[in-house]
Amino acid sequence: MNSPYNKVGPLVGEIFGGKVLNVACDVNVTSTFAGDAAISGLIGRGSADGSLIENCIFGGSITGTGYNCAAFIGWSGSTSTLTNCAFTGIIYIDTSQGNAYTFARNPGNVTCTNCYFVNEFGSHQDNTTQVTEEDVASGMLCYTLNGDQSCIIWSQTLGEDELPVPFPTHERIYKAGDVYGNAYDNATFTTFANKVLETEHEFCENALAQKS
């Protein structure tokens, strides 16, 4: 996506309240706006209180000649809530103006819950957690985005999906100890079980080595 304007996003330029649910965006955004760009990987500007962004992920990139932007909301002119969201992409925008934020600009208007990022941009919001690329690839991020696992929204077919997605057409991630994996057929169940056994075996070997 290429744009010469500010306050733009690949999903919507401006939102007036309402909800954005279950979106996976892997777009590469390029801005040629030279000033306060306020662009994002999802929404350019929030302009009415009560906007909710839930179960969304941005895994693309943002590049440009301007400054100041964010992964989800380029400028939060009103109160917004982000819940169960993840930023796994990267932003190449000038942060020297001191008004750049990982999830959304104007942080006093933004509340984040159970949100994660790989690459910090500027400053990150409170109640957001940095994870690694390995956490994304292993399925850990996907599992964690589902919270207490009582409502499964996020899925990831390991070996096929680079990122977790909020779609039921992909496979659920399970956890045993510190191991994450799929178990939707005999092959994936066996792979998952073997990883668990291998981890437990290594744990026991390390425990014995420390005891001796």
Side-chain angles (χ1 to χ4, degrees), residues 88-188:
T88 61
I90 193 165
I91 300 175
Y92 303 101
I93 293 285
D94 180 21
T95 62
S96 63
Q97 301 296 318
N99 195 8
Y101 290 87
T102 303
F103 284 86
R105 287 180 61 213
N106 200 10
N109 280 342
V110 180
T111 300
C112 294
T113 302
N114 197 40
C115 292
Y116 303 86
F117 63 95
V118 174
N119 297 299
E120 183 177 34
F121 174 73
S123 301
H124 63 272
Q125 266 77 14
D126 293 337
N127 299 319
T128 62
T129 303
Q130 188 165 24
V131 296
T132 67
E133 292 182 354
E134 174 57 30
D135 293 332
V136 179
S138 70
M140 187 280 275
L141 173 61
C142 180
Y143 183 90
T144 307
L145 283 167
N146 280 320
D148 64 4
Q149 311 302 301
S150 61
C151 180
I152 304 301
I153 299 295
W154 291 91
S155 304
Q156 185 176 6
T157 306
L158 298 180
E160 297 180 15
D161 299 331
E162 293 184 0
L163 308 175
V165 291
F167 310 134
T169 51
H170 299 244
E171 300 300 333
R172 179 176 177 176
I173 294 291
Y174 294 90
K175 179 184 179 184
D178 293 326
V179 178
Y180 301 87
N182 299 133
Y184 57 88
D185 59 17
N186 288 336
T188 55

Side-chain angles (χ1 to χ4, degrees), residues 7 12 18 45 52 64 70 104 130 132 154 168 170 183 197 210:
K7 298 182 177 67
V12 60
R45 176 184 174 92
L52 172 65
Q130 188 165 24
T132 67
W154 291 91
H170 299 244
L197 292 172
Q210 291 175 6

